[in-house]
């Protein structure tokens, strides 16, 4: 039976981390709200016995799983996107959670006060938060990823072991998003992280990922998503 | 061999979610930085092959695990603090990740601009963010937890099934922290969530938790931690 991905249809957002895993694995899945609209998406948050807090959530038969990192934890072994050992699995998940922290901070760079307000209602605060994100946080996250790659005993091609994992796919998406939202700051930071650049390229060149990125299933970045290009926030 | 918890010694912070699990289980553990100082804590972030991004991290023999939720994912089965089935485990983890989101938002209520700046350098922005956190986010998180308890087919005593899990312990700690930082807003929100109150009380009355809370191992909340009481931010 096909996996059901439930997420906002018009943005990449957090759902994109799940889409990339499903696409890389060639999994059978339905992007439900893109086919049926968002009424069912919201209704799913009210459905007992285990209502997710927010999209994205995945339905696999009777099981409903929310939280992007939890979805990838569940899918990883099923899609062949994580190592076999418990040590590799928990390390992959730890990296994913750190990538998720970076994503949350990217969101807050344009929404530092409240998700429920428009960017235009929090521009002065966003200018201050984005400055810190650009100057301190983007380099800190990317340099940590570089260190993880450099320290990998199996070599720096992948984050965990010598094989592709969902964390590699998520690193690709984080770099994509940062390069869209903060092209200048991200280019500066990437100058110090050649192994991150190489892994980003390796993921982009995977045949199924390349095909996905060229398809109309890949929504373009836009200013309703998590990664937003507001030129005044980039330096 | 004893578990090693590595975390800032003078605050509850994110480490407290791990401490509560270890204490409830009566596990043999060492709170390393409280005994040896923080030099080793920071050095651990640089140590290959798998350097955590930030404290807390747990060492169990050769394995080092960062990210609070990942630590609990690892400890849950070992400490008997999660159900046996994959469905229960992934649901418990999903709840934990949502609690972690609430904790991150509690932090940002006093640090909406930059972790590296003092509160005093971001007070106007904190006033705005705290207003949204008080009026919208605290109720949203607590009401979701109430809904999860109400929808539990095994009854509303626990978040998952009919047994204590690490998510229950983390709910306790979230409520403790919110009640410390935002006593007025939290009391208002809790008025609508009696099942959350009951679970908070149940955890507090567990013999090992009660003994821990009364011990000097439990640091008091303070204004260096994640949950900070700044009266001007509470209404």
């Amino acid at each position: 039976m096909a996996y059901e991905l439930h997420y906002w249809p018009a943005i990449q957002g957090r759902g994109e981390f799940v889409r990339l895993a499903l696409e890389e694995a060639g999994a059978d899945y339905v992007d439900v709200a893109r086919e049926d609209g968002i009424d069912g998406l919201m209704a799913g948050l009210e459905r007992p016995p285990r209502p997710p807090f927010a999209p994205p959530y995945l339905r696999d038969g009777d099981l409903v799983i929310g939280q992007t990192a939890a979805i990838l934890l569940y899918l990883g072994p099923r899609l062949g996107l994580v190592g076999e050992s418990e040590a590799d699995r928990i390390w992959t998940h730890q990296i994913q959670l750190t990538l998720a922290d970076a994503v949350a901070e990217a969101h807050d760079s344009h929404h530092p006060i409240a998700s429920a307000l428009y960017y235009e209602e929090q521009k002065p605060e966003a200018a201050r938060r984005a400055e810190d994100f650009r100057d301190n946080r983007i380099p800190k996250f990317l340099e940590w990823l570089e260190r993880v790659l450099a320290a990998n005993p199996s070599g720096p091609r992948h984050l965990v072991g010598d094989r592709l994992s969902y964390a590699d796919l998520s690193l690709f998406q984080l770099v994509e998003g940062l390069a869209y939202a903060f092209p200048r700051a991200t280019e500066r930071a990437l100058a110090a992280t050649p192994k991150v650049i190489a892994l980003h390229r390796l993921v982009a060149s995977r045949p199924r990922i390349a095909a996905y990125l060229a398809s109309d299933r890949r929504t373009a970045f836009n200013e309703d998503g998590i990664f937003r290009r507001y030129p005044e926030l980039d330096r």
Side-chain angles (χ1 to χ4, degrees), chain A residues 129-175:
Chain A
R129 176 136 188 172
E131 180 185 2
D132 180 67
F133 187 63
R134 272 191 330 255
D135 294 351
N136 299 313
R137 303 301 288 173
I138 292 177
K140 186 175 166 82
F141 282 112
L142 293 183
E143 285 164 18
W144 178 74
L145 292 165
E146 184 79 5
R147 216 157 65 234
V148 168
L149 289 165
N152 183 351
S154 302
R157 276 168 58 89
H158 296 290
L159 287 164
V160 185
D162 59 0
R163 55 180 289 169
L164 188 80
S165 73
Y166 63 78
D168 290 343
L169 300 175
S170 294
L171 174 146
F172 164 82
Q173 178 65 9
L174 175 67
V175 171

Side-chain angles (χ1 to χ4, degrees), chain A residues 3-233:
Chain A
Y3 293 110
E4 290 181 12
L5 171 63
H6 296 259
Y7 194 63
W8 305 108
I11 61 170
Q12 293 186 21
R14 289 183 169 83
E16 197 68 11
F17 295 88
V18 182
R19 289 191 189 104
L20 286 170
L22 294 164
E23 292 283 347
E24 166 61 28
D28 185 16
Y29 80 101
V30 185
D31 206 330
V32 179
R34 286 194 178 162
E35 304 207 351
D36 300 343
I38 64 169
D39 289 352
L41 180 67
M42 299 314 289
L45 301 180
E46 305 293 332
R47 197 170 295 132
R50 295 181 164 179
F53 184 74
Y57 55 93
L58 182 87
R59 179 180 288 276
D60 181 17
D62 288 338
L63 209 55
V64 177
I65 306 165
Q67 286 281 355
T68 310
I71 296 170
L72 292 170
L73 180 72
Y74 176 82
L75 286 176
R78 288 169 173 79
L79 302 182
L81 288 173
V82 70
E84 295 293 328
S85 70
E86 183 185 24
D88 280 358
R89 289 187 179 182
I90 200 85
W91 174 232
T92 307
H93 192 54
Q94 182 182 333
I95 295 169
Q96 184 66 40
L97 290 172
T98 304
L99 293 166
D101 287 344
V103 171
E105 292 190 23
H107 170 272
D108 282 9
S109 71
H110 52 78
H111 272 71
I113 300 301
S115 292
L117 298 177
Y118 290 108
Y119 166 61
E120 288 70 22
E121 297 174 281
Q122 47 197 311
K123 284 180 74 166
E125 295 91 346
R128 281 195 81 193
R129 176 136 188 172
E131 180 185 2
D132 180 67
F133 187 63
R134 272 191 330 255
D135 294 351
N136 299 313
R137 303 301 288 173
I138 292 177
K140 186 175 166 82
F141 282 112
L142 293 183
E143 285 164 18
W144 178 74
L145 292 165
E146 184 79 5
R147 216 157 65 234
V148 168
L149 289 165
N152 183 351
S154 302
R157 276 168 58 89
H158 296 290
L159 287 164
V160 185
D162 59 0
R163 55 180 289 169
L164 188 80
S165 73
Y166 63 78
D168 290 343
L169 300 175
S170 294
L171 174 146
F172 164 82
Q173 178 65 9
L174 175 67
V175 171
E176 284 285 295
L178 292 176
Y180 173 78
F182 298 95
R184 300 169 74 175
T186 303
E187 187 181 355
R188 273 199 308 278
L190 285 172
T193 61
K195 295 177 180 64
V196 171
I197 294 176
L199 178 51
H200 173 267
R201 286 205 185 120
L202 181 148
V203 171
S205 71
R206 303 273 304 181
R208 284 175 174 150
I209 295 294
Y212 169 65
L213 296 176
S215 76
D216 60 7
R217 298 191 302 288
R218 173 79 164 184
T219 309
F221 284 110
N222 61 57
E223 281 56 58
D224 293 319
I226 289 180
F227 297 105
R228 302 190 187 184
R229 178 176 290 175
Y230 295 124
E232 64 273 22
L233 298 184

